[in-house]
Amino acid sequence: MTNNLQISEDIIIGIVGLGYVGLPLAVEFGKKRSTIGFDINNKRIQELNSGFDRTQEVTTEELKGSSMLSITDDISVFKQANFYIVTVPTPIDNCKQPDLSPLISASKMLGSILKKGDTVVYESTVYPGATEEVCLPLLEQGSGLKYQTDFYLGYSPERINPGDKTHRVTDIVKVTSGCCAKSAAMIDSIYSEVIQAGTHKASSIRVAEAAKVIENTQRDLNIALINELAMIFDRLGIDTHDVLAAAGTKWNFLPFKPGLVGGHCIGVDPYYLTHKAQSIGYHPEIILAGRRINDNMGQHIATQVVKMMTKRKTQVVGSKILVLGIAFKENCPDIRNTRVIDVVNELKTYHTGVEIFDPWVDPEEANHEYGLEVHTTFAAIEQSAQASAFDCVILCVGHKQFLELGASQFRKLLKKSGIIYDVKAVFPVNEIDARL
């Protein structure tokens, strides 16, 4: 490699994976330099080339405005790039262990097209050491090239917040890293072209990997504390949100609230860190305790609802319950690792009839992933209520449509003894029956 400035003139960005992370990044790079977005999902490629992004992270205008971006599933086109960024998902399996199969597949694919002088940067969330221990050998084996002599490696953790139109990819400080001082400087300078908020160059790839997993682990633990407090206060007959409002008058009290902890980051990333910790002989007690609390919140919410129904002498078996929202967070169609499913599944163990209303999600995707039928319009819910009124409404996700309708509209769908349980505490307290 020559110096960074001369290299940057000829760099062609190639982004592997055009989901919530990869697409916004591809669009931004496509405004500055030649960029190729690659995804194995042909339907996704066709939709994006027609100007439609089903994740709703990027508008049609933004896609069209990224004039130097091309989108393809043709590897012969993609291999024209020389600065590759990997943004594939890194989920957990049913045993809550890291599932690196998408990352391994992407690394094998890149190994087959890697050229001398290329750079590969990973953004997918991993445990410290994974980039060099898992991905690097696959790049070397597939390409026959030598690390740090023929090609270079880096890691820059994604910080995308799905559904957030205020904190977008260009507005969030980007952590960067490289395998040597030269590659670290080059990688940092490339990202600096599109990240308006600035960059932070970490001292090593492993440091950058660790920074990512502890960001979400810290948040997970803070929420776990509040969730545990909510369960304690419930037994004491105290409203948790009243307690938090009072405690929040102190300047250094952190404003966390109880709730379901799902999604592709907070509910997943801690397991990557604990997996690595256990592999080196350390059992992480606090992190796993927090995960247990948060993973059990769906069961807790369902139990609270059943108790309330029983107190009102509502027959639980055969009852009709409306769940508002199946996405993992408000104003977002993302259903990956949604913990609302835990509420639904627990309610079903009581032989209740559960219906779901979510105007944001794709019903086909919800059916494919969770076997659920989802209503996307309020009219459909009204029709269902006319046939048979609901015994309970549980607001699990604070979509703007639910707030605009208000608790009073949902009250009309209920039987006289019906309950509104507000998991998100977004409805006025005098218009609901209980909140988490």
Side-chain angles (χ1 to χ4, degrees), residues 199-232:
T199 60
H200 174 90
K201 188 165 59 174
S203 58
S204 69
I205 289 174
R206 286 163 63 89
V207 165
E209 291 169 324
K212 171 58 181 177
V213 287
I214 71 163
E215 286 175 17
N216 288 324
T217 299
Q218 182 187 67
R219 185 166 174 79
D220 190 44
L221 285 171
N222 276 305
I223 299 172
L225 170 62
I226 303 301
N227 277 337
E228 186 163 57
L229 292 175
M231 289 186 276
I232 293 171

Side-chain angles (χ1 to χ4, degrees), residues 76-271:
S76 67
V77 174
F78 187 60
K79 69 180 183 181
Q80 297 172 27
N82 50 28
F83 187 97
Y84 295 102
I85 301 175
V86 180
T87 63
V88 297
T90 43
I92 53 175
D93 61 22
N94 292 333
C95 298
K96 301 189 187 303
Q97 292 297 308
D99 177 6
L100 296 178
S101 55
L103 199 64
I104 290 170
S105 295
S107 298
K108 288 180 178 178
M109 183 270 287
L110 285 177
S112 71
I113 62 174
L114 207 60
K115 307 174 295 299
K116 194 168 184 177
D118 286 357
T119 297
V120 181
V121 180
Y122 288 87
E123 289 207 3
S124 306
T125 301
V126 291
Y127 52 78
T131 301
E132 293 160 297
E133 295 166 7
V134 177
C135 304
L136 173 58
L138 297 173
L139 296 176
E140 287 189 314
Q141 291 166 15
S143 66
L145 299 176
K146 188 175 180 181
Y147 175 49
Q148 293 195 49
T149 299
D150 298 324
F151 72 95
Y152 297 83
L153 194 63
Y155 183 81
S156 179
E158 60 89 3
R159 281 177 165 173
I160 293 294
N161 189 23
D164 189 338
K165 302 307 179 185
T166 301
H167 303 97
R168 306 191 72 185
V169 63
T170 59
D171 307 314
I172 305 170
V173 174
K174 198 84 167 74
V175 174
T176 67
S177 66
C179 58
C180 59
K182 185 185 293 185
S183 62
M186 184 268 287
I187 291 167
D188 191 74
S189 69
I190 292 297
Y191 275 107
S192 295
E193 294 179 358
V194 296
I195 306 299
Q196 298 171 6
T199 60
H200 174 90
K201 188 165 59 174
S203 58
S204 69
I205 289 174
R206 286 163 63 89
V207 165
E209 291 169 324
K212 171 58 181 177
V213 287
I214 71 163
E215 286 175 17
N216 288 324
T217 299
Q218 182 187 67
R219 185 166 174 79
D220 190 44
L221 285 171
N222 276 305
I223 299 172
L225 170 62
I226 303 301
N227 277 337
E228 186 163 57
L229 292 175
M231 289 186 276
I232 293 171
F233 294 145
D234 174 68
R235 285 163 173 76
L236 293 173
I238 302 172
D239 188 290
T240 301
H241 295 276
D242 288 346
V243 176
L244 295 176
T249 59
K250 190 165 188 262
W251 73 92
N252 59 353
F253 186 82
L254 301 178
F256 287 92
K257 294 182 179 180
L260 296 167
V261 184
H264 191 60
C265 292
I266 301 177
V268 172
D269 295 356
Y271 287 120

Side-chain angles (χ1 to χ4, degrees), residues 369-430:
E369 292 297 323
Y370 301 108
L372 298 174
E373 290 188 15
V374 178
H375 299 292
T376 59
T377 66
F378 185 64
I381 295 301
E382 284 184 306
Q383 186 176 2
S384 177
Q386 287 170 5
S388 174
F390 290 95
D391 293 289
C392 179
V393 172
I394 309 174
L395 185 139
C396 288
V397 186
H399 289 321
K400 61 183 180 182
Q401 290 91 337
F402 301 154
L403 275 63
E404 289 168 356
L405 284 166
S408 60
Q409 286 296 104
F410 292 108
R411 180 72 68 184
K412 294 176 183 178
L413 308 177
L414 289 168
K415 295 176 182 176
K416 189 174 181 180
S417 61
I419 295 165
I420 295 181
Y421 188 96
D422 186 356
V423 173
K424 299 293 291 184
V426 292
F427 287 145
V429 68
N430 62 327

Side-chain angles (χ1 to χ4, degrees), residues 27 51 53 56-64 165 168:
V27 167
D53 170 28
Q56 301 185 43
E57 291 298 304
V58 174
T59 65
T60 300
E61 291 72 24
E62 287 172 324
L63 276 168
K64 292 180 178 178
K165 302 307 179 185
R168 306 191 72 185

